[in-house]
Amino acid sequence: GLVDKAVTECENAIKLDDGICLAHHKLALHFKQVLDRNAALRHCRDAIRCAGPDRFVQEVEECKEIVRVLEVQ
């Protein structure tokens, strides 16, 4: 369906350029929703890393919270 297509598009974008922070963010949200803890953590950490301190502030904060929650599980 559409979700699978969106996941594939994000994954393909990252293969071409690992610095596409929003693709990492979207994948993190997806994997959190489908309860794939390791993939959600990986993509959140990648989003935080590639965004740096000044870009995508809201998305980075969201990922930091996801990491905090999932790391204690």
Side-chain angles (χ1 to χ4, degrees):
L2 290 177
V3 172
D4 292 332
K5 184 174 180 173
V7 168
T8 300
E9 291 295 321
C10 285
E11 289 172 337
N12 287 338
I14 290 169
K15 286 178 187 174
L16 295 173
D17 181 357
D18 189 50
I20 302 177
C21 305
L22 293 179
H24 284 294
H25 175 258
K26 293 297 182 193
L27 286 172
L29 295 180
H30 167 72
F31 287 121
K32 178 182 175 250
Q33 185 175 14
V34 298
L35 305 177
D36 186 335
R37 178 184 176 274
N38 292 332
L41 282 169
R42 182 177 70 248
H43 285 291
C44 271
R45 289 180 179 131
D46 287 342
I48 292 166
R49 174 192 46 78
C50 82
D54 301 322
R55 295 174 54 215
F56 310 113
V57 174
Q58 182 176 350
E59 291 83 357
V60 166
E61 288 304 313
E62 187 173 22
C63 274
K64 285 180 179 179
E65 180 60 24
I66 290 170
V67 168
R68 277 191 289 273
V69 169
L70 293 181
E71 280 185 333
V72 297
Q73 290 182 350

